[in-house]
Amino acid sequence: MATSAPSFQVRDSQRYGRPESGWRLRLYTIIFEADTRAGRLFDVALLLVIIASVAVVIADSIASVHARWQTQFQVFEWIFTIAFTIEYIARLACVRRPLRYALSFYGIVDLLAVLPTYLAILVPEMSALIDVRILRLLRVFRIFKLAEYVDEFGLLGQALHASRRKIFVFLIFVMLIVMVMGTLLYVVEGPANGYTSIPVGIYWAITTMTTVGFGDITPQTDLGRVIASAMMLIGWGTLAVPTGIVGAEFTLRRAASSSQPTTRTCHECLSEGHSPRARFCSDCGAKLPPYQHEAAEAR
Amino acid sequence: MATSAPSFQVRDSQRYGRPESGWRLRLYTIIFEADTRAGRLFDVALLLVIIASVAVVIADSIASVHARWQTQFQVFEWIFTIAFTIEYIARLACVRRPLRYALSFYGIVDLLAVLPTYLAILVPEMSALIDVRILRLLRVFRIFKLAEYVDEFGLLGQALHASRRKIFVFLIFVMLIVMVMGTLLYVVEGPANGYTSIPVGIYWAITTMTTVGFGDITPQTDLGRVIASAMMLIGWGTLAVPTGIVGAEFTLRRAASSSQPTTRTCHECLSEGHSPRARFCSDCGAKLPPYQHEAAEAR
Amino acid sequence: MATSAPSFQVRDSQRYGRPESGWRLRLYTIIFEADTRAGRLFDVALLLVIIASVAVVIADSIASVHARWQTQFQVFEWIFTIAFTIEYIARLACVRRPLRYALSFYGIVDLLAVLPTYLAILVPEMSALIDVRILRLLRVFRIFKLAEYVDEFGLLGQALHASRRKIFVFLIFVMLIVMVMGTLLYVVEGPANGYTSIPVGIYWAITTMTTVGFGDITPQTDLGRVIASAMMLIGWGTLAVPTGIVGAEFTLRRAASSSQPTTRTCHECLSEGHSPRARFCSDCGAKLPPYQHEAAEAR
Amino acid sequence: MATSAPSFQVRDSQRYGRPESGWRLRLYTIIFEADTRAGRLFDVALLLVIIASVAVVIADSIASVHARWQTQFQVFEWIFTIAFTIEYIARLACVRRPLRYALSFYGIVDLLAVLPTYLAILVPEMSALIDVRILRLLRVFRIFKLAEYVDEFGLLGQALHASRRKIFVFLIFVMLIVMVMGTLLYVVEGPANGYTSIPVGIYWAITTMTTVGFGDITPQTDLGRVIASAMMLIGWGTLAVPTGIVGAEFTLRRAASSSQPTTRTCHECLSEGHSPRARFCSDCGAKLPPYQHEAAEAR
């Protein structure tokens, strides 16, 4: 217990290995950490470059913009790619365990963000893969350390984690309904009405159960419409289930975090749960020791 | 009370009758139970075969796949059918009350999964076996046995069960709204705008109230759009109701299961669950030992 | 206070006036009450006739069915109309305050259920109004006294009633958003893209905000799509609000009704809230008086 | 503390400066306050005029109505504009700090509501005054003053305010999913199937994730439909999250406001809010008088 750092504070330093000293430590401090001025500047600059690179990819996909700015975009594309490549190599160079970084989630995303541009030289048709760079935007979560600033994000994760088995069972249930319904409508409506195969029927059933309802495929026969109507009502009731599951978790966690009773104890009669503003024990009338903001410290 | 087994553990053994001994007991152990190695292997194998058979049905429904693999699929079809037939006969053979099994939900599904393939020999014209395949898909419901593995599914069932009367009343209410609205739009829009009959109007109203909104039939007149707008806003508010019902049940059940009373025990009468604030046993009046933060330690 | 009957039991007898004696009392017992065998039979028969009459109206709206059974349906129509007319007159005849009945909700619905058929003789074009009869189906709530059987339905009403001001403010808020958004898209997209007027734009905005999304009118310009995207995300978050409002009411009411603390009081130290199974006071150790199911009686 | 007015009552009087006396005070009382008969009348009249002006804008957008009532609407338009101009000048005239009013939200809206009609005289070609009319609609926001009347709106605002960080993190998360999914479908489906650019793909992804599902753009390829299906199921689960967040806040706030502590008062130090179980004052240690069911009586 004494040797392990507090688990909540374990970050990249633990995972990839913080170098001992020298230029590698200095580089590591800038790239992986955000406690120094340089580190913070680097993080903000990186985020801006990522946003710019994503913006270029998005803008380039619009035909009229592409026609006009094609050359400039290609130049930018290469600037971004080279910048990201340098960053990737720097990251590999300054950590003590480069392989662990390379195989981590962000390591893979960082690699995928530069790879397609190089591959596109060999196989020019795969330039579409550059869009993988959007995944780098996930870095926004890391750079802003949003998840840390917003405590409640942890609560969200906890609620989802606690509900994961229920949600899994629920998804299987939905899958079965969707398969039966998709097959049913394929049989009832047939290829003539757009239900060309069972997978298409399942696609339609998912569309309907989730209340998205594109309307690209719709039942045309009377029987098909009766079945679809029954299914929509079922889907409606079903919608209440995951909402109820996650909602219940949330309510309980919020309630628990907002109404934590103090563990303040009367030294005379050992009664507990005295309010922070209480000065005398409500059970035996003895004076209570001064309240010491334990909750604030614990957090 | 002494003769009845604990109701929650009652499974097929109680329902269909577990044989006393001999090869029937051995077969029963494999097919109906999952406590032995063979039994568990059988269950997994059966599940895989069911999934494979469903996959073949789904794949066969795609025109291009059907054109190419038609013969292979037919062979597979017969292999699955024979395998399921043997399984069905084995099930009938090893239970003590075969009729009770045959008339149970899974018994009927098991029979329906094999019957149509045989019937197609006698009446080959019966629309290319399609009706067969969809019935086989019902077999997928057997995976529902999974529901028993996951405890939380019970909580889900309880919440829905506890809400069933409310949901029933709610459904009647929705039905009436949907009928009135469907009729109203049939009268207002008329067959010219796609509302060819009151049932079609009701189908549209269900589509709209559930927020699916296919858009295959939409109001075209001004009055129809005003009514539809009002209806959508009503449907929106209505959506909150079943969500609220099930959500409330869920929250309470989760709260009840997570705020278990203490395990504080009276040293005199060994009664449990005394409140942390209690100073005397509420069962025998003896003084309780001071409460010692068990909850904090347990967590 | 002594003269007024318990308000919850006040029914038609109080409202319309139960006759003192004679044939009117007998008729009243059959038509308005359900405590005698004849009364119960009448209620069930009436419900069946209403369902049948609605079924005829619905079936008659289908062109192919209408073409074939037109004459029979017209005969049925008149039988139903005459039956309902007799029933209406009987109701008027046997209550002590006929006007109060005639002006009550069910009195108006009962009249509207027969009026259109007679009016259609004079003005044959208004036969579509016969559909008003569907409203008589609301009687299903009265005949089955569903609302009474299902206690929780009251809870539903309470939750909605308690939330009515919040929902009202919320609706005004939605109205404003919908008007601004509808106007915005009318200006941005214009009549060329289907937004022929501001009311049409508002209709589209309601369609979108409620996530119905028919797709009969959709933004075609880039700016329109950006605005629509922002609006959908707003609408999504907004959807959480009424759900949260009603859900919160529900949860609290359910919680209150399921965990009412006892008011059981220790006669020695006057401490309260002792569990129903407690036998000794948990505060002073004195023996508690036996628990007397007060909650059960109160209900 | 003594000089500042209670913060909740601080209104325009504090913000713009209430004049000391004379006709300006009288005008101020009428226009900005609602405590006198004249002030209340003015507010109601103004609201009616705003609604009328908005109604005219909406009606004028309908082609057939515009063709017939064009001249009358233009007259009304000018009447409203002049009325609003007089009102605007009066507001400026009677406050002590006119600039502060002019730069406040309502001040700007009030100006924008009249400005465009005048500008259209100088530049008559400015697209037929349509831009004017939409800005006038912003005036409808003044009805928001209604928000102050309804207390529960505060609860709503609190719940949203307390959830704002969670909702912000959630929106970033949704944004990333939507961008990745939109790009994915742009790559998979391509311009041939309607996904003409990444922004269009993102628009489609938002349409789908929010379950609006217009259906103007839909996946046509098998792979696209598989991805869309997965996405819809994800979107469905995601929908539960903000609902859960806001719902949890709501439930807790409602619970807190409905389970107010007792008003039990210590006879020695007059401190309040002692728990029903307390036997000694937690503030001064004096023995409390026995608890006397006030809650039960109050209810």
Side-chain angles (χ1 to χ4, degrees):
Chain A
M1 250 188 92
T3 52
S4 77
S7 74
F8 204 72
Q9 303 287 1
V10 180
R11 293 260 174 281
D12 306 337
S13 51
Q14 249 61 26
R15 238 184 282 137
Y16 313 137
R18 197 177 194 266
E20 301 281 305
S21 61
W23 64 269
R24 284 176 64 200
L25 177 58
R26 237 172 306 133
L27 203 59
Y28 185 94
T29 318
I30 293 169
I31 297 182
F32 282 98
E33 293 178 357
D35 301 324
T36 59
R37 202 182 133 77
R40 236 170 297 130
L41 264 177
F42 176 83
D43 279 0
V44 170
L46 181 63
L47 189 62
L48 292 178
V49 174
I50 294 172
I51 290 174
S53 76
V54 169
V56 163
V57 171
I58 290 179
D60 196 34
S61 75
I62 305 167
S64 59
V65 177
H66 176 80
R68 185 139 174 222
W69 303 91
Q70 194 175 357
T71 331
Q72 288 89 330
F73 281 160
Q74 220 146 14
V75 173
F76 275 124
E77 188 58 47
W78 276 105
I79 293 173
F80 292 138
T81 305
I82 289 163
F84 289 153
T85 309
I86 293 169
E87 183 216 339
Y88 183 66
I89 291 168
R91 278 179 194 273
L92 278 178
C94 74
V95 293
R96 264 199 295 174
R97 306 195 195 92
L99 198 68
R100 185 171 286 193
Y101 163 70
L103 296 176
S104 73
F105 175 72
Y106 281 119
I108 291 168
V109 168
D110 288 351
L111 182 62
L112 288 177
V114 295
L115 219 57
T117 321
Y118 296 115
L119 287 178
I121 308 173
L122 306 172
V123 194
E125 284 80 19
M126 63 188 304
S127 61
L129 280 176
I130 293 171
D131 309 307
V132 115
R133 197 161 287 168
I134 279 178
L135 281 174
R136 282 213 95 190
L137 261 186
L138 280 172
R139 211 163 255 278
V140 87
F141 277 104
R142 193 169 72 168
I143 286 173
F144 280 143
K145 296 224 168 72
L146 268 176
E148 281 171 73
Y149 290 160
V150 185
D151 265 6
E152 288 90 352
F153 196 63
L155 204 66
L156 194 69
Q158 282 172 35
L160 286 175
H161 188 78
S163 316
R164 73 192 179 291
R165 289 177 76 183
K166 272 174 266 180
I167 286 173
F168 179 71
V169 169
F170 179 73
L171 268 183
I172 287 184
F173 190 71
V174 166
M175 275 308 183
L176 288 177
I177 293 182
V178 152
M179 282 175 80
V180 171
M181 285 297 175
T183 308
L184 215 58
L185 266 121
Y186 165 69
V187 173
V188 168
E189 295 281 334
N193 290 327
Y195 296 80
T196 49
S197 66
I198 292 182
V200 168
I202 293 171
Y203 161 74
W204 172 86
I206 290 175
T207 295
T208 305
M209 283 281 284
T210 55
T211 75
V212 171
F214 282 134
D216 50 349
I217 305 162
T218 50
Q220 303 295 328
T221 64
D222 293 341
L223 183 58
R225 283 176 171 176
V226 169
I227 294 170
S229 296
M231 192 185 154
M232 282 182 262
L233 289 175
I234 291 170
W236 200 15
T238 315
L239 187 66
V241 176
T243 310
I245 292 170
V246 179
E249 287 300 327
F250 237 90
T251 307
L252 292 172
R253 269 151 220 281
R254 277 288 294 127
S257 74
S258 70
S259 70
Q260 286 162 2
T262 69
T263 55
R264 204 179 176 193
T265 310
C266 171
H267 288 197
E268 294 299 320
C269 68
L270 297 175
S271 63
E272 289 212 324
H274 297 290
S275 134
R277 46 171 276 261
R279 293 186 308 154
F280 290 92
C281 172
S282 59
D283 268 291
C284 69
K287 202 159 200 317
L288 288 173
Y291 182 55
Q292 285 180 308
H293 284 285
E294 18 187 0
E297 282 166 24
R299 173 120 16 143
Chain B
M1 250 186 90
T3 53
S4 77
S7 75
F8 204 73
Q9 302 287 0
V10 180
R11 293 259 176 284
D12 305 338
S13 51
Q14 250 62 26
R15 238 183 284 138
Y16 313 138
R18 199 177 192 264
E20 301 280 306
S21 61
W23 63 268
R24 285 176 63 198
L25 177 59
R26 238 173 304 134
L27 203 59
Y28 185 94
T29 319
I30 293 170
I31 297 182
F32 281 98
E33 294 177 358
D35 301 323
T36 60
R37 202 182 133 76
R40 236 170 294 130
L41 264 176
F42 176 83
D43 279 2
V44 171
L46 181 63
L47 191 62
L48 291 178
V49 174
I50 294 172
I51 290 174
S53 76
V54 170
V56 163
V57 171
I58 290 179
D60 199 34
S61 77
I62 306 167
S64 60
V65 175
H66 175 79
R68 190 145 166 214
W69 303 92
Q70 194 175 357
T71 330
Q72 288 90 329
F73 281 161
Q74 220 147 14
V75 173
F76 274 125
E77 187 60 45
W78 275 105
I79 293 173
F80 292 138
T81 304
I82 289 164
F84 289 153
T85 309
I86 294 170
E87 182 217 339
Y88 182 66
I89 292 169
R91 279 179 194 272
L92 278 178
C94 75
V95 292
R96 266 199 293 175
R97 306 197 194 94
L99 198 69
R100 186 171 286 193
Y101 163 70
L103 296 176
S104 73
F105 174 72
Y106 281 120
I108 291 167
V109 167
D110 288 350
L111 182 63
L112 288 177
V114 293
L115 217 59
T117 322
Y118 295 115
L119 286 179
I121 307 172
L122 304 173
V123 197
E125 285 84 15
M126 50 190 300
S127 73
L129 277 177
I130 289 174
D131 295 5
V132 179
R133 280 157 191 159
I134 184 185
L135 286 168
R136 162 128 334 143
L137 248 191
L138 280 171
R139 189 167 266 272
V140 107
F141 276 108
R142 204 183 294 176
I143 310 174
F144 267 143
K145 275 184 186 160
L146 157 153
E148 298 168 358
Y149 297 151
V150 184
D151 265 5
E152 284 90 352
F153 198 64
L155 201 68
L156 194 69
Q158 282 172 35
L160 286 175
H161 188 78
S163 317
R164 73 192 179 291
R165 290 175 79 181
K166 272 175 266 178
I167 286 174
F168 179 71
V169 170
F170 180 71
L171 269 183
I172 287 185
F173 191 70
V174 166
M175 275 309 184
L176 288 176
I177 293 182
V178 153
M179 283 175 80
V180 170
M181 285 296 175
T183 307
L184 215 57
L185 266 121
Y186 165 70
V187 173
V188 168
E189 294 280 333
N193 290 328
Y195 295 79
T196 49
S197 66
I198 292 181
V200 167
I202 293 172
Y203 160 75
W204 172 84
I206 290 175
T207 296
T208 305
M209 282 280 285
T210 54
T211 75
V212 171
F214 282 134
D216 49 349
I217 305 161
T218 50
Q220 303 296 327
T221 65
D222 292 342
L223 182 57
R225 283 176 171 176
V226 169
I227 294 170
S229 296
M231 191 185 154
M232 281 182 263
L233 289 175
I234 291 170
W236 200 14
T238 315
L239 187 65
V241 176
T243 310
I245 292 170
V246 178
E249 286 300 326
F250 238 91
T251 307
L252 293 171
R253 267 150 223 280
R254 278 288 294 129
S257 72
S258 70
S259 68
Q260 284 148 0
T262 69
T263 55
R264 201 180 177 194
T265 310
C266 170
H267 288 197
E268 295 298 320
C269 69
L270 298 176
S271 62
E272 284 202 347
H274 297 291
S275 137
R277 308 209 66 160
R279 294 186 308 156
F280 292 93
C281 172
S282 59
D283 269 293
C284 69
K287 203 158 200 317
L288 289 173
Y291 183 54
Q292 283 180 308
H293 284 285
E294 21 190 356
E297 282 165 23
R299 176 125 9 148
Chain C
M1 249 188 92
T3 54
S4 78
S7 75
F8 204 72
Q9 303 286 1
V10 179
R11 292 259 173 283
D12 306 337
S13 51
Q14 250 61 26
R15 237 183 286 138
Y16 313 138
R18 198 178 193 263
E20 301 280 306
S21 61
W23 63 269
R24 284 176 65 200
L25 177 59
R26 237 174 304 133
L27 203 59
Y28 185 94
T29 319
I30 292 170
I31 296 182
F32 281 98
E33 294 177 357
D35 301 325
T36 59
R37 203 183 132 76
R40 237 169 295 128
L41 264 176
F42 176 82
D43 279 1
V44 170
L46 181 63
L47 189 63
L48 291 178
V49 174
I50 295 172
I51 290 174
S53 76
V54 169
V56 163
V57 170
I58 290 178
D60 198 33
S61 76
I62 305 167
S64 60
V65 176
H66 176 78
R68 188 141 170 219
W69 303 91
Q70 195 174 356
T71 331
Q72 287 89 330
F73 282 161
Q74 221 146 12
V75 173
F76 274 124
E77 189 56 50
W78 276 106
I79 293 173
F80 292 138
T81 304
I82 290 164
F84 289 154
T85 309
I86 293 170
E87 182 216 337
Y88 183 66
I89 292 168
R91 279 180 194 272
L92 278 179
C94 74
V95 292
R96 265 198 295 175
R97 306 197 196 91
L99 197 69
R100 186 171 286 193
Y101 163 70
L103 296 175
S104 72
F105 174 72
Y106 281 119
I108 291 166
V109 167
D110 288 351
L111 181 62
L112 288 177
V114 294
L115 219 56
T117 321
Y118 296 114
L119 288 179
I121 307 173
L122 307 173
V123 195
E125 283 82 19
M126 64 188 302
S127 61
L129 280 176
I130 293 172
D131 308 308
V132 114
R133 197 161 288 168
I134 279 177
L135 281 173
R136 282 213 94 191
L137 261 186
L138 280 172
R139 211 163 255 277
V140 86
F141 277 105
R142 192 169 73 167
I143 286 174
F144 279 145
K145 296 222 167 74
L146 268 175
E148 280 172 72
Y149 290 159
V150 185
D151 263 5
E152 287 90 352
F153 196 64
L155 204 66
L156 194 69
Q158 283 173 34
L160 286 175
H161 188 78
S163 317
R164 72 191 180 292
R165 288 177 78 181
K166 272 174 264 177
I167 285 173
F168 179 71
V169 169
F170 179 72
L171 269 183
I172 287 184
F173 190 71
V174 167
M175 275 310 184
L176 288 176
I177 293 181
V178 152
M179 282 174 80
V180 171
M181 285 295 174
T183 308
L184 215 57
L185 266 120
Y186 165 69
V187 172
V188 168
E189 295 281 333
N193 291 326
Y195 297 79
T196 49
S197 67
I198 292 182
V200 168
I202 293 172
Y203 160 75
W204 172 85
I206 290 174
T207 296
T208 305
M209 282 281 283
T210 54
T211 76
V212 171
F214 282 135
D216 50 349
I217 306 161
T218 50
Q220 303 296 327
T221 64
D222 291 341
L223 182 57
R225 283 177 170 175
V226 168
I227 295 170
S229 296
M231 191 186 155
M232 281 182 263
L233 290 175
I234 291 170
W236 198 15
T238 315
L239 186 65
V241 176
T243 309
I245 292 170
V246 179
E249 287 300 327
F250 236 92
T251 307
L252 292 171
R253 267 150 222 280
R254 277 288 293 129
S257 72
S258 69
S259 69
Q260 286 162 1
T262 70
T263 56
R264 204 179 175 193
T265 311
C266 171
H267 288 196
E268 294 299 319
C269 68
L270 296 174
S271 63
E272 287 211 326
H274 296 291
S275 135
R277 44 170 277 261
R279 292 185 309 155
F280 290 92
C281 172
S282 59
D283 267 293
C284 70
K287 201 158 198 319
L288 288 172
Y291 182 56
Q292 283 180 307
H293 285 284
E294 21 188 356
E297 282 165 23
R299 182 155 323 183
Chain D
M1 248 188 92
T3 53
S4 77
S7 75
F8 203 73
Q9 303 287 2
V10 180
R11 294 257 175 285
D12 306 336
S13 51
Q14 250 60 25
R15 237 183 285 137
Y16 313 136
R18 198 177 193 266
E20 301 281 306
S21 61
W23 64 269
R24 284 177 63 201
L25 177 59
R26 237 174 306 133
L27 202 59
Y28 186 94
T29 318
I30 292 170
I31 297 182
F32 281 98
E33 293 178 356
D35 300 324
T36 59
R37 203 183 131 77
R40 236 170 297 129
L41 264 177
F42 177 82
D43 280 1
V44 170
L46 180 63
L47 191 62
L48 290 178
V49 174
I50 294 173
I51 290 174
S53 77
V54 169
V56 163
V57 170
I58 291 180
D60 197 35
S61 76
I62 305 168
S64 60
V65 176
H66 176 79
R68 185 138 175 222
W69 303 92
Q70 196 174 355
T71 330
Q72 287 89 331
F73 282 160
Q74 221 146 14
V75 172
F76 276 123
E77 187 61 46
W78 275 107
I79 293 173
F80 292 137
T81 304
I82 290 163
F84 290 152
T85 309
I86 293 169
E87 182 217 338
Y88 182 67
I89 292 167
R91 277 179 194 273
L92 279 178
C94 73
V95 292
R96 264 198 296 174
R97 307 196 194 93
L99 198 69
R100 186 172 285 192
Y101 163 71
L103 296 176
S104 73
F105 175 72
Y106 281 119
I108 292 167
V109 168
D110 288 351
L111 182 61
L112 288 178
V114 294
L115 216 58
T117 321
Y118 296 114
L119 287 179
I121 306 172
L122 305 174
V123 196
E125 285 86 15
M126 51 192 299
S127 73
L129 278 178
I130 289 175
D131 295 6
V132 180
R133 283 159 189 160
I134 184 186
L135 285 168
R136 163 129 335 145
L137 248 190
L138 280 171
R139 189 167 265 274
V140 106
F141 276 108
R142 204 184 294 177
I143 309 175
F144 268 142
K145 274 183 188 161
L146 157 152
E148 299 170 356
Y149 297 153
V150 185
D151 265 4
E152 284 90 354
F153 198 63
L155 201 66
L156 194 69
Q158 281 172 34
L160 286 175
H161 188 78
S163 317
R164 73 193 180 289
R165 290 175 78 182
K166 272 175 266 180
I167 285 173
F168 179 72
V169 169
F170 180 73
L171 268 184
I172 288 184
F173 191 71
V174 166
M175 275 309 184
L176 288 177
I177 293 182
V178 152
M179 283 175 79
V180 170
M181 285 295 175
T183 308
L184 216 56
L185 265 120
Y186 165 70
V187 173
V188 168
E189 295 280 334
N193 291 327
Y195 296 80
T196 49
S197 66
I198 292 181
V200 168
I202 293 171
Y203 160 73
W204 172 85
I206 290 174
T207 295
T208 306
M209 282 281 283
T210 53
T211 77
V212 171
F214 283 135
D216 50 349
I217 305 161
T218 51
Q220 303 295 327
T221 65
D222 292 341
L223 183 57
R225 284 176 171 177
V226 169
I227 295 169
S229 296
M231 191 187 155
M232 282 183 261
L233 289 175
I234 291 170
W236 200 13
T238 316
L239 186 65
V241 176
T243 310
I245 292 170
V246 179
E249 286 301 327
F250 238 92
T251 307
L252 292 171
R253 266 150 223 281
R254 278 288 293 128
S257 72
S258 70
S259 68
Q260 284 148 359
T262 69
T263 55
R264 201 181 175 191
T265 310
C266 170
H267 288 196
E268 295 298 319
C269 68
L270 296 176
S271 63
E272 283 201 351
H274 296 291
S275 139
R277 309 209 64 162
R279 294 186 308 157
F280 291 93
C281 172
S282 59
D283 268 294
C284 69
K287 203 157 197 322
L288 289 171
Y291 183 56
Q292 282 179 308
H293 284 282
E294 23 189 353
E297 282 164 23
R299 182 145 335 171

